[in-house]
PDB file of all heavy atoms in Angstrom:
ATOM      1  N   ASN A 677      -3.179   5.933   0.801  1.00 65.00           N
ATOM      2  CA  ASN A 677      -4.319   5.075   0.701  1.00 65.00           C
ATOM      3  C   ASN A 677      -4.578   4.538  -0.715  1.00 65.00           C
ATOM      4  O   ASN A 677      -5.733   4.369  -1.100  1.00 65.00           O
ATOM      5  CB  ASN A 677      -5.560   5.764   1.224  1.00 65.00           C
ATOM      6  CG  ASN A 677      -5.450   6.099   2.678  1.00 65.00           C
ATOM      7  OD1 ASN A 677      -4.821   5.357   3.446  1.00 65.00           O
ATOM      8  ND2 ASN A 677      -6.059   7.224   3.105  1.00 65.00           N
ATOM      9  N   ILE A 678      -3.591   4.281  -1.469  1.00 72.00           N
ATOM     10  CA  ILE A 678      -3.723   3.627  -2.792  1.00 72.00           C
ATOM     11  C   ILE A 678      -3.340   2.213  -2.587  1.00 72.00           C
ATOM     12  O   ILE A 678      -2.204   1.901  -2.186  1.00 72.00           O
ATOM     13  CB  ILE A 678      -2.830   4.285  -3.822  1.00 72.00           C
ATOM     14  CG1 ILE A 678      -3.168   5.757  -4.025  1.00 72.00           C
ATOM     15  CG2 ILE A 678      -2.924   3.539  -5.171  1.00 72.00           C
ATOM     16  CD1 ILE A 678      -4.523   5.984  -4.661  1.00 72.00           C
ATOM     17  N   GLU A 679      -4.242   1.281  -2.844  1.00 77.00           N
ATOM     18  CA  GLU A 679      -3.955  -0.136  -2.583  1.00 77.00           C
ATOM     19  C   GLU A 679      -3.009  -0.693  -3.657  1.00 77.00           C
ATOM     20  O   GLU A 679      -2.132  -1.468  -3.354  1.00 77.00           O
ATOM     21  CB  GLU A 679      -5.243  -0.957  -2.582  1.00 77.00           C
ATOM     22  CG  GLU A 679      -6.077  -0.677  -1.361  1.00 77.00           C
ATOM     23  CD  GLU A 679      -7.327  -1.577  -1.325  1.00 77.00           C
ATOM     24  OE1 GLU A 679      -7.308  -2.630  -1.991  1.00 77.00           O
ATOM     25  OE2 GLU A 679      -8.240  -1.204  -0.634  1.00 77.00           O
ATOM     26  N   ASN A 680      -3.249  -0.325  -4.916  1.00 81.00           N
ATOM     27  CA  ASN A 680      -2.389  -0.852  -5.973  1.00 81.00           C
ATOM     28  C   ASN A 680      -1.865   0.302  -6.770  1.00 81.00           C
ATOM     29  O   ASN A 680      -2.455   0.728  -7.757  1.00 81.00           O
ATOM     30  CB  ASN A 680      -3.208  -1.806  -6.869  1.00 81.00           C
ATOM     31  CG  ASN A 680      -2.375  -2.564  -7.872  1.00 81.00           C
ATOM     32  OD1 ASN A 680      -1.210  -2.205  -8.130  1.00 81.00           O
ATOM     33  ND2 ASN A 680      -2.941  -3.603  -8.438  1.00 81.00           N
ATOM     34  N   ALA A 681      -0.732   0.868  -6.341  1.00 78.00           N
ATOM     35  CA  ALA A 681      -0.204   2.073  -6.959  1.00 78.00           C
ATOM     36  C   ALA A 681       0.224   1.803  -8.403  1.00 78.00           C
ATOM     37  O   ALA A 681       0.048   2.669  -9.263  1.00 78.00           O
ATOM     38  CB  ALA A 681       1.023   2.569  -6.174  1.00 78.00           C
ATOM     39  N   GLN A 682       0.693   0.597  -8.670  1.00 83.00           N
ATOM     40  CA  GLN A 682       1.101   0.286 -10.077  1.00 83.00           C
ATOM     41  C   GLN A 682      -0.083   0.303 -11.024  1.00 83.00           C
ATOM     42  O   GLN A 682      -0.053   0.912 -12.084  1.00 83.00           O
ATOM     43  CB  GLN A 682       1.808  -1.064 -10.104  1.00 83.00           C
ATOM     44  CG  GLN A 682       2.286  -1.426 -11.509  1.00 83.00           C
ATOM     45  CD  GLN A 682       3.030  -2.738 -11.547  1.00 83.00           C
ATOM     46  OE1 GLN A 682       3.195  -3.433 -10.545  1.00 83.00           O
ATOM     47  NE2 GLN A 682       3.457  -3.129 -12.737  1.00 83.00           N
ATOM     48  N   ARG A 683      -1.190  -0.352 -10.601  1.00 88.00           N
ATOM     49  CA  ARG A 683      -2.405  -0.385 -11.447  1.00 88.00           C
ATOM     50  C   ARG A 683      -2.990   0.997 -11.583  1.00 88.00           C
ATOM     51  O   ARG A 683      -3.393   1.399 -12.664  1.00 88.00           O
ATOM     52  CB  ARG A 683      -3.427  -1.350 -10.829  1.00 88.00           C
ATOM     53  CG  ARG A 683      -4.705  -1.430 -11.580  1.00 88.00           C
ATOM     54  CD  ARG A 683      -4.530  -2.198 -12.883  1.00 88.00           C
ATOM     55  NE  ARG A 683      -5.834  -2.333 -13.577  1.00 88.00           N
ATOM     56  CZ  ARG A 683      -5.993  -2.175 -14.869  1.00 88.00           C
ATOM     57  NH1 ARG A 683      -4.966  -1.974 -15.643  1.00 88.00           N
ATOM     58  NH2 ARG A 683      -7.145  -2.242 -15.403  1.00 88.00           N
ATOM     59  N   SER A 684      -3.007   1.793 -10.495  1.00 86.00           N
ATOM     60  CA  SER A 684      -3.563   3.154 -10.539  1.00 86.00           C
ATOM     61  C   SER A 684      -2.738   3.996 -11.443  1.00 86.00           C
ATOM     62  O   SER A 684      -3.265   4.819 -12.202  1.00 86.00           O
ATOM     63  CB  SER A 684      -3.594   3.742  -9.139  1.00 86.00           C
ATOM     64  OG  SER A 684      -4.490   3.025  -8.304  1.00 86.00           O
ATOM     65  N   THR A 685      -1.435   3.834 -11.421  1.00 85.00           N
ATOM     66  CA  THR A 685      -0.531   4.578 -12.297  1.00 85.00           C
ATOM     67  C   THR A 685      -0.750   4.215 -13.764  1.00 85.00           C
ATOM     68  O   THR A 685      -0.745   5.092 -14.645  1.00 85.00           O
ATOM     69  CB  THR A 685       0.954   4.399 -11.892  1.00 85.00           C
ATOM     70  OG1 THR A 685       1.090   4.735 -10.525  1.00 85.00           O
ATOM     71  CG2 THR A 685       1.866   5.239 -12.752  1.00 85.00           C
TER      72      THR A 685
END
Side-chain angles (χ1 to χ4, degrees):
N677 296 327
I678 299 292
E679 288 184 22
N680 189 344
Q682 182 178 359
R683 178 73 178 141
S684 296
T685 304

